[in-house]
Amino acid sequence: MKAIGVILAGGNNERLDKLTEKRASSAMPVGSCYRALDFPLSNMSNSGVGKVAVITQYNSRSLHDHASSSKWWDLGRKQGGLFIFSPYLSSHNNLWFRGTADSLYQNLTYLERSKEPYVIIASGNGVYKFDYNDLIAYHERKDAEVTIAYKLAREGEDLRHYGVLEVDGDDRVQNFEEKPLEPTSNLISMGVYVISRLQLIKLLRAVNAEGRYDLVEDVFMRYRKRIRIFGYKFNGYWRTLNSVKSYFECNMDFLNRDVRALFTKQFPFIETKPKDEPPAKYNLGAVVSDCLVGSGAILNGTANHSIMFRKVYTGENSYVNNSIIMEGCYIGNNCVVENAILDKEVVLSDGKQIRGASSEEPYIVSKGTVV
Amino acid sequence: MRKKEMIAMLLAGGQGSRLGVLTATKAKPAISFGGKYRIIDFPMSNCINSGVDTVGVMTQYQPLQLNQHIGIGIPWDLDRRNGGVTILAPHLRGDEGEWYTGTANAIYQNMDYIAKYNPDYVLILGGDHIYKMDYSLMLDFHKKNNCHVTIAALEVPIEEAGRFGVINTRDDSSIYEFEEKPPNPKSNLINMGIYIFDWGILREALIKDNKVHHDSDFGKHVLPMLLNEGKRMFAYPYSDYWMDVGTIESYWNCNMDLVKTLPDFNLYDDFWRIYTDDDHQPPIYTSSAADVRTSLLSEGCEVFGNVYNSVLGPEVVVEEGAVVRDSIIMERTTVGRNARLERCIVDNSCIIGENVVIGDGENIPNREKPKIYNTGITVLGEHTLIPDNVCIGKNCVLYGRTVYDDYKDSRLESGESAVHEPEGEVLF
């Protein structure tokens, strides 16, 4: 493999509301048994990238917990393997990461002590399957200095929450704006870049000397005329978890057989940390229709069009509809949960009702709440 | 090598011939159980949960799947620099060598492995029972009573004890007699095949007995010999769930136990987790057309049809209109549209065609192997293919790529078999 990997998993997203109170957006649970980070991490390992750094900052506990045993992604290695970087104090530095470029600059040693010609940088909260070798092959073919993967926006997507690219007929990037007030195209940056390692080191040093800290604004944007930046159009499934709405939709996408097949049936697979839960148990009263269920769940009630994570318990005569129920939730007898997101380990005692307005505005119950 | 207080020796070489075609390609300990597990996961998990981190697994019959399953022991945290799991296969020494000829002979042939860890105690286990047991408590018992040998003893109803090896004890649990299948048992304690030995005593006994008996066996030879020599032998009483899944019927019953609302055997215990090789563990999907009741579904199952009172292994697909009832379907099997399965056991990676009916007709025992298949359960071996639109009776055995010629008028009557050994051909 010609590249090392960097996953930027430090960010928070206030548009994920209470869901990121206690976790980074890269640690968001997705599809009954995954966390967002599993997707870029598995993509790295499935593409043959043998040395990967995960850069964390905001609420990093759950990310450390999840990624620290690197075995599951085949990254428990003597050569390369998984590196997890968090901000730290030292004699000449006592600051948090001031931006994405700064987080890389503060870990420049990682880049310097590698020999691979390229670096693949990916954000930690994208849900997709991508062979990064395709990106590198394109990068080489275009003789590019930076290549940015992009995706055509879906119909009606609010572009103001994304990085938006403008490219010319040859796919060379003309403009790149983060969260533009007035978007000028419908090409969304996936937050996946390939860049030459030596070039990146040079650029990081240059922007740091100027007191600039952001990868997109201060490196790509500022240098777009001096270096050859190209866009790569990605055609597969891709979602980023940057709002409650996109989080809800992304989970519900897993009810689609093709989406499930992409991630779970077609090799290579998305891997996650095993939790060794027993099989899910459907008891006599279970009526489970169009639902995703995690292992270790025990179901006694009705569930419809919902995502239930591992170890969820639903009581007799309970009714769950159009909801996301995270790991370890307990739903008592005769409860109703509709248009809601129950964060991990929520307990609903018998007969409680949780109702949100709609898929667009689900009712969110914080982690560990007892109702 | 750092000294270990106790290491485990797990006997996993047995075929389990009464399980018929389920052991065609794997040893009994490698057979699936409870959906996602294999039988050997239970003693392996018991070991790590009891703090035993050095396990020698002796394989002999069809070891490939067992070796692949155990690997370097990652699922059980038994990938260790010092200790961990080691597969011990029979091998040549100098010009000679032999198979494992008996339980004690297998340990005898691996004394060098034990000696490397210089343990105080050796735990001997079988690989074919379903149970949860804290071996560290058994070791406490062993030490407290200053035993040379401790034997785990299951309390059974006295009328059933006659089918097993019975242990007769004094009031302090010390053993004074062994009886093999006695017509009138004096005690209700039976030998579970789980032993703790002082390593010195075990070593001496193995060397001595293997000079006398070529097929040295613990139950038959070594334990009676040690008792005659006046060694301190105690029975460690155990009364929890313990099941031998040695026959098609007991295997089926024991799986079916798990689908009850409150099963006798609890897999959902956070503090005594059963581990298995399951890195890739996608979610389970049940569609809006599906109806699933009183069943266990493992990771990656996709159900579009109906599943009642059944146990499904990982990545089983039940297509629309299919009905699976009172059955055990193992890993990666696909049940085609509108198929109807009743009381059957389907091994890994089978393909069952559309409109296939299994379990139809009278309960006639299998013609070739009536002693194995006689309770109405039809069994499909690993990688079996069933073409569309055929009807299969009870107590049938199917194995390999079956073709229409195997079915007269699209039927395989109760008690008939259709077997095509795959011989290295990768089917699906």
Side-chain angles (χ1 to χ4, degrees), chain A residues 29-32 247-255 307 309 324:
Chain A
V30 180
S32 280
Y247 177 71
F248 199 89
E249 286 171 356
C250 177
N251 273 284
M252 291 302 171
D253 283 346
F254 276 81
L255 296 176
I307 308 292
F309 283 74
I324 297 172

Side-chain angles (χ1 to χ4, degrees), chain A residues 30-31 33-47 66 72-73 126-132 237 254 259-274 310, chain B residues 278-283 315:
Chain A
V30 180
C33 62
Y34 304 105
R35 284 183 186 262
L37 182 67
D38 292 333
F39 294 84
L41 205 48
S42 300
N43 287 337
M44 291 283 181
S45 118
N46 293 339
S47 304
H66 189 69
W72 324 115
W73 301 276
V127 175
Y128 63 113
K129 194 163 166 183
F130 195 166
D131 185 345
Y132 296 136
Y237 176 91
F254 276 81
V259 173
R260 273 199 317 280
L262 172 70
F263 290 120
T264 70
K265 306 281 173 203
Q266 290 160 19
F267 191 81
F269 307 117
I270 304 300
E271 299 292 346
T272 187
K273 180 183 174 183
R310 294 191 182 109
Chain B
D278 70 343
D279 303 355
H280 175 56
Q281 39 180 344
E315 303 190 58

Side-chain angles (χ1 to χ4, degrees), chain B residues 227-270:
Chain B
L227 195 65
N228 279 339
E229 289 173 1
K231 295 286 189 303
R232 271 179 80 78
M233 299 171 79
F234 276 66
Y236 173 70
Y238 178 88
S239 52
D240 237 325
Y241 190 93
W242 181 83
M243 274 297 163
D244 180 12
V245 286
T247 64
I248 293 285
E249 193 191 12
S250 68
Y251 176 79
W252 187 87
N253 282 332
C254 204
N255 272 280
M256 286 306 152
D257 239 21
L258 297 170
V259 307
K260 290 196 291 201
T261 306
L262 278 179
D264 299 332
F265 189 68
N266 181 13
L267 289 169
Y268 296 76
D269 183 350
D270 276 352

Side-chain angles (χ1 to χ4, degrees), chain B residues 9 104-105 107-124 148-149 196-211 216 218 222 225-226 229 231:
Chain B
M9 297 295 281
N105 177 266
I107 308 289
Y108 172 73
Q109 292 199 42
N110 287 294
M111 291 201 304
D112 292 350
Y113 169 78
I114 302 174
K116 262 179 32 164
Y117 295 99
N118 188 26
D120 297 327
Y121 310 102
V122 179
L123 170 68
I124 314 273
H148 294 122
V149 185
I196 291 179
F197 281 87
D198 282 359
W199 167 224
I201 301 281
L202 176 66
R203 185 171 162 272
E204 213 173 276
L206 290 174
I207 294 171
K208 198 166 155 194
D209 192 64
N210 273 274
K211 287 194 177 123
S216 180
F218 281 108
V222 176
M225 175 182 86
L226 288 170
E229 289 173 1
K231 295 286 189 303

